[in-house]
Structure formats: C-alpha cells, structure tokens
Amino acid sequence: MRHVRIKKVPMKLILLVFLASSYSQAALEAKGDVYCTSAKEYITTVRFLRDKKEFGLSEKQIQKTADNVSMGCNDASQRYISIMKLLTKMGVDSRSAQKHSLIFAQKTNEHTEAFIEIFKNAYNPDKMDLDVLTSLKLSLSLSADYQGNISQSVQNFKELVEFCIDNKSLDLSSPQCANLASEITINGSQFKEELIAPHFKKLIQFLQKDKKGPQLPLLKSIKIAKDLVKQGPLASKNFIQAFTFSTSKKGLNFSHKNGLEFATKMTKRSIQK
C-alpha cells in the first residue's frame, strides 16, 4: 500500500493568510463597515409578506418593502417581522405597523427589544393598561428616538413605573406615571455611566418622608426631584448632604426653607460646566 505524503504548509504561508484576513477585517471595521446578509434579509421579508395576504400588499409593494429592509443589514428582517407581528396583533392597522416596522429594520436589535419590552409594560392591563396609541408613542420615544444607552432606557423606565404606580410609593395614575417615567428616562439619557431612576427615588424618599428632610407634600416633592435629578447621578447625594448639614445645629442651623434653597444651589453644581 502506497503512503500518500501530505505536504506540510509552510508556516510563513499560514501567517500570511491569517494576516491578510485580519487586515481586511480590521480595515473594514476602521471604515465603520460591517458584512451584511442583505440577500437573506430581502428573501425572508418577501416570504413573510407573501404569506400575509391580510396586509393587502401587491407584489411590487412587497418587493419594495423587502428592498428597504435589506438595507438594515444583519437581522433586519427579524426586527421588521417582530414589530409587524406585535403591532398588528395589538390592533394597529397594517399601514401604520408597516411604517414603524421599517424604522426598526434600520435600527439595532437592542432598539427593537427595548420597544417591545416598553410597549408590553405600557399596554399590559396588569401593568399600566394604556391604550395602543399612547403605548406606541411612549415606546417609540424610549427606543427608536432615544439618544442614550438603550439598555438603560428600559431599566430606568421599568424601575420608575414600578415606583410610581405602587400605592405605597407615589400611587399615580397610569397616564401620570407614563409621563413622569418617560420624562425622567429621557432626561437621564445623557448620563450613560449610571441609572438615573434610583437617584430620583432617593430624592423623593428624602424630600417627602425622611425625618431629616423637609417632609414636603407629594406633588411638590415630585416637582423638585424632577428638576434636581437633571443634574445627574450625584444630585441625590449632594442634595441630601447639603440639606442635612445646613439644617443641623452643628451645621448652618438654617430653617427648612433656607436649607432647601441652599441644598438646591449645591445640587445645581453637581455637573461642572
């Protein structure tokens, strides 16, 4: 039996191939480019829409939609399909669902997941029980339109919602809670290093209930906390320290009114301009 000799591949050749491959990928990434499964995204979208006769799209419209989706790169068809399925299931007309689904085809998986998570929380009867249109607008503002860390958007929103609808905390109505939670979440988008929700909760607790705090009414506490938390993650710490010191006998011995003014002034310096 003849032995087949396998020629050894020179190590230099292996290194050259590896370096060439690494260099091409590095060059691609340096330009901000990525490899895209555009054909797969196109085909998946066409097959999905052809199967959905109830959407009433012509073949020309189907192909145009698939073309738009394919430009969203990897997983674009799945993002498009998941939003279409969710919105049409919730009673949104197919034209509106199509419009919003195409937005997420061009976004990331994280944006899509954030939209779905927030929408479910807003629309769920056991959570906020908002109507479809309000849930849709709210979810878009905290996902597709959100400018900060998208995972923080979801975390901030969910934590704030639990806090503001809890009858032992703020006990707000669902519409009031939705407005408050979205406003604070959007204002916190600039602080990417830390969640803003815990600091809002600390401020509310101190302003309203803490024995060393000013013990203000709920609505006034919310108004002040909303304003102060815009100063970022150090807002709650600066405010509590400043108020406690300024109103103590060993500190400045201020009245609660003057202590509130002093603490607000200190808190407004939480961010160095």
Side-chain angles (χ1 to χ4, degrees):
M1 181 177 176
R2 293 180 60 190
H3 291 282
V4 180
R5 294 184 62 190
I6 301 174
K7 292 184 179 180
K8 289 185 178 181
V9 180
M11 183 57 70
K12 284 185 178 180
L13 181 60
I14 294 173
L15 285 172
L16 283 172
V17 171
F18 174 77
L19 288 171
S21 171
S22 299
Y23 176 78
S24 64
Q25 179 62 25
L28 199 67
E29 291 173 355
K31 292 194 300 178
D33 296 334
V34 292
Y35 293 117
C36 287
T37 55
S38 49
K40 171 179 169 283
E41 309 311 326
Y42 183 98
I43 294 165
T44 303
T45 306
V46 166
R47 286 174 174 167
F48 169 75
L49 291 176
R50 281 179 178 169
D51 192 47
K52 295 292 180 180
K53 307 294 184 187
E54 63 269 28
F55 292 166
L57 296 177
S58 66
E59 181 63 24
K60 185 177 180 180
Q61 289 173 317
I62 288 172
Q63 291 179 20
K64 183 180 178 181
T65 299
D67 189 55
N68 288 333
V69 170
S70 71
M71 290 189 284
C73 207
N74 301 333
D75 298 327
S77 59
Q78 191 53 51
R79 292 192 293 272
Y80 169 82
I81 290 168
S82 62
I83 300 297
M84 279 293 286
K85 284 183 175 179
L86 173 67
L87 295 183
T88 52
K89 183 180 179 181
M90 295 302 140
V92 177
D93 66 276
S94 59
R95 181 176 291 184
S96 296
Q98 167 90 328
K99 172 187 169 185
H100 293 108
S101 299
L102 284 171
I103 291 172
F104 286 95
Q106 310 302 324
K107 293 288 183 178
T108 66
N109 291 347
E110 288 75 20
H111 284 90
T112 307
E113 289 162 8
F115 175 86
I116 293 171
E117 183 73 15
I118 293 167
F119 187 93
K120 286 180 177 179
N121 270 267
Y123 187 71
N124 189 338
D126 296 327
K127 295 284 185 178
M128 302 187 75
D129 197 23
L130 299 173
D131 61 80
V132 172
L133 184 58
T134 304
S135 300
L136 180 58
K137 287 180 178 178
L138 178 65
S139 305
L140 285 169
S141 69
L142 298 179
S143 57
D145 300 334
Y146 193 73
Q147 298 301 311
N149 182 318
I150 197 66
S151 66
Q152 283 189 354
S153 170
V154 178
Q155 292 176 70
N156 275 320
F157 179 75
K158 289 177 71 175
E159 186 170 341
L160 289 164
V161 165
E162 283 185 19
F163 180 64
C164 70
I165 63 174
D166 185 354
N167 57 15
K168 293 181 181 179
S169 298
L170 300 188
D171 195 23
L172 299 179
S173 68
S174 290
Q176 288 174 319
C177 183
N179 290 333
L180 179 65
S182 62
E183 183 181 346
I184 294 170
T185 300
I186 290 169
N187 286 336
S189 64
Q190 59 184 307
F191 309 115
K192 297 180 174 65
E193 71 281 2
E194 198 171 336
L195 293 176
I196 209 68
H199 300 288
F200 175 79
K201 289 163 64 176
K202 281 182 186 176
L203 283 166
I204 289 289
Q205 176 67 28
F206 183 78
L207 286 163
Q208 190 190 7
K209 297 179 179 178
D210 199 294
K211 290 180 180 179
K212 294 182 179 180
Q215 298 183 347
L216 300 173
L218 176 60
L219 293 180
K220 189 168 184 180
S221 297
I222 291 174
K223 183 180 178 182
I224 292 172
K226 273 202 310 182
D227 184 50
L228 293 177
V229 84
K230 293 176 185 177
Q231 302 302 317
L234 275 178
S236 58
K237 184 176 182 179
N238 278 333
F239 182 85
I240 293 169
Q241 283 183 338
F243 185 88
T244 304
F245 176 78
S246 66
T247 55
S248 69
K249 290 181 179 179
K250 292 183 178 181
L252 303 178
N253 201 24
F254 283 170
S255 66
H256 276 193
K257 180 183 176 183
N258 291 338
L260 194 59
E261 290 175 359
F262 175 78
T264 299
K265 181 173 72 172
M266 290 296 106
T267 306
K268 293 287 175 106
R269 296 174 182 172
S270 297
I271 299 175
Q272 193 88 40
K273 298 294 183 183

